[in-house]
Amino acid sequence: MRRERILEYLRAGLRTLQKGGTLVVVAPNEVADVGDAEFFLETYVAERDACLETERGVKSRVDGVVVLNARLDEGAARLDAAADRVARFFEPGAPGARGFTAIDGTRRALVYPTGVRRATPEVVDGRYKTSVAVEFEIFEEE
């Protein structure tokens, strides 16, 4: 459940950053025809490290990752500017770092971003790509 909620949270944040036009955000295991798209985003969630269990809850960390993709002829500057914008939006103290509460039956989870990392841009499969990892801390009450 928490992976889906984190993906929804990222997607909602990315839509608030959208300046106009159509923003294509591809989730894991989602089929999308982006073959020759000028620009699109991919999102996924990755486990970061082991959990810390206490008597009253479980604290874990995951990364919500946004991969920004652009055609090579679109220019690196545009993609870097978009990645900077995404990173600034989700960094602690920014509007995208508010977090959320998820309730699953009687269990409640507090999910909040604790940091942001940018990867080094690279060319992969004929596209210019870079990623922004948003570090989330999750506290689930027992």
Side-chain angles (χ1 to χ4, degrees), residues 100-111:
F100 60 93
T101 302
I103 299 173
D104 183 22
T106 59
R107 294 181 68 174
R108 187 173 84 155
L110 305 171
V111 183

Side-chain angles (χ1 to χ4, degrees), residues 31-96:
V31 178
D33 185 18
V34 293
D36 198 31
E38 288 181 24
F39 183 80
F40 69 94
L41 306 171
E42 298 170 280
T43 58
Y44 65 91
V45 176
E47 295 295 327
R48 195 162 143 230
D49 56 23
C51 296
L52 171 65
E53 293 189 39
T54 65
E55 292 176 4
R56 297 177 42 175
V58 176
K59 187 163 92 173
S60 59
R61 294 182 180 155
V62 298
D63 285 344
V65 182
V66 178
V67 180
L68 297 92
N69 294 267
R71 285 194 297 217
L72 288 177
D73 59 350
E74 294 301 311
R78 176 181 177 206
L79 192 67
D80 282 338
D84 283 341
R85 210 164 158 227
V86 169
R88 281 194 314 271
F89 182 76
F90 287 108
E91 69 187 7

